Structures are given as C-alpha cells and as structure tokens.
Amino acid sequence: TFSAEQIKQLKEINQDFKNAQSGKDKLRFDRLFHQKLIDNYSNTYAQKIIEDIRVRVFMYELKFMISIPSEESYEMHEKMINCLEEGAIHKVVKELESNWKISINHIMKSYQLQSNEK
C-alpha cells in the first residue's frame, strides 16, 4: 500500500515529468516516478534486476524521451496514481505494463534500425 505522502510525491514527480523540457529531464523524472513505485518493494533481488535493466536501456530510453511527446506517459502515470489512491493494485500493474510496452516497442524498433544500418 502507498501512503498519502507517497502518492503526493508521485503526483509531484509526474508534474515535473510533464513540465520537463529536455529529453534528459523527462527521463530523469520518469525513472524517479518508476523508482517510487517500487520503493516499498521488499524483494531486493527484483530491485537489482530492475536497476540492471535500467542501466542497460538508458541510451534507448533517452532517445525515446527525446523523440516522443510525453503526454501519453504522463496520462498513464496519472492513471497509475489514481489506481493507487483507489487501492486497485491490479489496475496499477496493468497500466504499468502498458507503459513499459510503449518504451520496449520503441527500443526494439530503434535497435532493429541500428542493426539494419550496419
């Protein structure tokens, strides 16, 4: 469960994400948002795996944040926050999965384009 303070922090981070001007700042706030979602998670092994993945896809995520409008991610973050306020964790997971799929699809396309250019 998330406290009122944690939800407030998620809202503030998401607002900063929405207002970010550069891809680098968007990525910083996006990563902070997703980190806040797992801060309470007690499985340290899973947290390490997630961090390892973040490090490996950083450049692709940065390219993604530079090249796409952030409104869709902002709206998905808002849905996650609303679901957290309702206590509907299963809905949060579904939104999170959709959010990640957008990034993953972009990363895969970028990787395929790079491979074809070689």
Side-chain angles (χ1 to χ4, degrees), residues 34 37 80 92-101:
H34 288 274
L37 288 176
M80 286 182 236
V92 176
V93 171
K94 201 168 185 116
E95 284 299 323
L96 182 59
E97 183 179 348
S98 296
N99 185 253
W100 282 357
K101 282 183 179 178

Side-chain angles (χ1 to χ4, degrees), residues 39-84:
D39 274 353
N40 291 347
Y41 197 50
S42 61
N43 186 330
T44 56
Y45 294 111
Q47 286 184 339
K48 287 178 184 180
I49 291 169
I50 291 168
E51 185 56 32
D52 183 52
I53 292 168
R54 284 182 183 163
V55 169
R56 292 176 189 271
V57 299
F58 175 80
M59 293 307 292
Y60 294 105
E61 283 186 312
L62 181 58
K63 185 176 179 183
F64 175 69
M65 288 296 173
I66 290 170
S67 64
I68 58 109
S70 56
E71 290 84 17
E72 187 174 10
S73 285
Y74 170 79
E75 292 297 326
M76 292 176 113
H77 291 173
E78 284 294 303
K79 286 180 185 178
M80 286 182 236
I81 293 168
N82 292 336
C83 292
L84 287 172

Side-chain angles (χ1 to χ4, degrees), residues 1-2 7 9 14-15 21 31 39 62 76 84 99-100 102 105 116-117:
T1 62
F2 286 76
I7 290 173
Q9 289 171 352
N14 199 35
Q15 193 61 45
Q21 298 298 311
R31 290 174 66 117
D39 274 353
L62 181 58
M76 292 176 113
L84 287 172
N99 185 253
W100 282 357
I102 291 171
N105 288 335
N116 292 336
E117 291 173 359

